[in-house]
């Protein structure tokens, strides 16, 4: 265990996080850059005294549970998490599972794209962040359970209101193939994660189509460049699809834009005004 390097690393990671990042008030008398030690300790579920000793290079080696708490509290990337383990003299084990925590900068990016619908998906196709236009174009994700925000589950197992494909997509078959192929690669990256394994088992048991695609062992998918969604209020909306990989979180940002001057661009403008207030027709 390298106590001096561990202390410096913890301090540097703590000081880069603002109270607002973790939902804490800044307060009028805050002088410490980033979080206070007691705040970091609280978020990591360890005592302030123990955390302080770690930052002073006087603490004993943290347990794996303690390291996991520190990594979560300090919002460490996978590379930083591995570094933390090595400094503590406890080589990292397998990743706990696909990350569902979205960086604040990515959330800010979504809301800086007022003319584009944008979502963030985890490695298991769960929608974990979205902007207002995405909610208007697709559905109000905030009204759904976490289970129903998983798009690979939805495309294979439903529900499919009025027998329509998910969001009336023109490329439902291609999306099904792509999601199955990506999920197979995800399962290989997280072989011990019970949530990933449970999702695969559920899909294999509930969908003959998924079972067929799974049996192909394909893990390479062709990118989707554009698609048309049938919206219940504004009709067909044809959008370009661009995907940005967030490698350190194993997440993807999907951005939907319409060609300038097209009827679909006008439809997106209308949806930005309508929002989710009139989303009372199954989508």
């Amino acid at each position: 265990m390298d106590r001096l390097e561990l202390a410096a690393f913890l301090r540097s990671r703590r000081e880069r996080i603002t109270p607002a990042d973790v939902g804490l008030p800044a307060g009028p008398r805050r002088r410490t850059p980033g979080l206070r030690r007691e705040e970091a300790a609280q978020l990591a579920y360890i005592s302030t005294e123990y955390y302080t000793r770690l930052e002073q290079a006087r603490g004993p080696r943290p347990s794996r549970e303690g390291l996991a708490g520190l990594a979560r509290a300090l919002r460490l990337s996978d590379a930083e998490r591995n570094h933390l383990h090595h400094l503590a003299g406890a080589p990292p084990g397998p990743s706990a599972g696909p990350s569902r925590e979205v960086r604040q900068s990515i959330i800010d990016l979504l809301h800086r794209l007022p003319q584009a619908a944008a979502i963030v998906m985890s490695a298991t196709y769960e929608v974990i962040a979205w902007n207002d236009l995405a909610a208007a174009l697709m559905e109000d994700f905030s009204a759904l359970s976490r289970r129903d925000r998983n798009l690979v589950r939805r495309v294979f197992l439903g529900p499919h209101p009025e027998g329509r494909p998910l969001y009336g997509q023109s490329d439902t078959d291609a999306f099904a193939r792509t999601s199955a192929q990506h999920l197979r690669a995800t399962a290989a990256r997280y072989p011990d994660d019970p949530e990933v394994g449970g999702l695969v088992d559920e899909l294999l048991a509930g969908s003959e189509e998924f079972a067929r695609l799974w049996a192909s062992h394909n893990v390479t998918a062709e990118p989707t460049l554009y698609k048309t969604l049938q919206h219940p209020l504004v009709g067909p909306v044809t959008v370009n699809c661009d995907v940005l990989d967030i490698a350190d979180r194993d997440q993807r940002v999907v951005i939907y834009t319409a060609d300038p001057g097209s009827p679909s661009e006008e439809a997106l403008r209308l949806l930005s005004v309508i929002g989710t207030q009139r989303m009372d027709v199954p989508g």
Side-chain angles (χ1 to χ4, degrees):
M1 176 177 173
D2 190 334
R3 285 182 171 82
L4 289 175
E5 284 295 323
L6 177 61
F9 182 65
L10 291 175
R11 185 166 54 252
S12 70
R13 300 305 89 178
R14 172 176 61 83
E15 290 178 350
R16 73 177 180 177
I17 301 175
T18 67
D21 289 339
V22 292
L24 295 174
R29 297 184 179 179
R30 181 175 292 271
R31 298 176 181 175
T32 304
L35 296 179
R36 298 187 177 103
R37 284 175 175 169
E38 58 267 28
E39 293 168 339
Q42 181 181 7
L43 292 169
Y45 297 102
I46 60 178
S47 72
T48 300
E49 179 185 1
Y50 178 53
Y51 181 83
T52 300
R53 292 176 67 191
L54 287 174
E55 279 205 9
Q56 293 174 343
R58 299 187 297 113
R61 175 183 295 169
S63 65
R64 287 192 175 274
E65 291 77 12
L67 290 171
L70 289 168
R72 180 182 61 249
L74 300 177
R75 298 191 166 194
L76 301 187
S77 67
D78 288 346
E80 290 170 331
R81 167 184 169 271
N82 291 343
H83 185 57
L84 173 69
H85 275 262
H86 286 299
L87 292 177
S95 175
S99 174
R100 299 181 60 252
E101 183 176 314
V102 183
R103 282 202 302 269
Q104 186 61 45
S105 60
I106 298 298
I107 294 175
D108 292 342
L109 171 65
L110 300 189
H111 296 294
R112 288 172 181 155
L113 299 171
Q115 297 180 31
I119 62 175
V120 181
M121 292 193 302
S122 73
T124 59
Y125 273 76
E126 178 185 348
V127 178
I128 51 179
W130 56 90
N131 64 8
D132 291 341
L133 189 51
L137 176 65
M138 301 168 79
E139 65 184 319
D140 185 0
F141 295 106
S142 66
L144 301 178
S145 67
R146 180 185 166 193
R147 173 185 176 83
D148 287 340
R149 289 200 296 267
N150 187 289
L151 300 188
V152 68
R153 179 184 282 116
R154 289 280 298 279
V155 76
F156 285 106
L157 302 180
H160 301 304
E162 299 182 352
R164 300 172 66 233
L166 184 63
Y167 311 131
Q169 294 183 98
S170 59
D171 67 332
T172 303
D173 291 342
F175 178 78
R177 285 195 307 273
T178 297
S179 61
Q181 291 165 359
H182 281 156
L183 188 58
R184 177 170 276 285
T186 297
R189 290 195 300 276
Y190 305 98
D192 300 318
D193 183 64
E195 190 166 324
V196 174
L199 175 61
V200 171
D201 289 343
E202 180 183 358
L203 292 168
L204 286 171
S207 170
E208 292 183 1
E209 181 185 6
F210 179 83
R212 177 180 59 78
L213 292 169
W214 190 258
S216 72
H217 290 267
N218 290 334
V219 293
T220 302
E222 292 295 323
T224 298
L225 301 180
Y226 62 91
K227 67 173 66 182
T228 299
L229 289 78
Q230 293 291 335
H231 192 276
L233 296 179
V234 300
V237 183
T238 299
V239 290
N240 304 302
C241 305
D242 293 289
V243 179
L244 309 177
D245 287 322
I246 309 174
D248 66 315
R249 299 290 174 97
D250 202 2
Q251 297 167 356
R252 280 171 292 155
V253 181
V254 186
I255 302 173
Y256 303 105
T257 57
D259 290 337
S262 67
S264 292
E265 183 186 43
E266 187 60 35
L268 287 182
R269 284 204 186 102
L270 179 58
L271 284 175
S272 70
V273 176
I274 295 173
T276 59
Q277 298 178 45
R278 294 178 53 193
M279 299 294 286
D280 54 352
V281 181

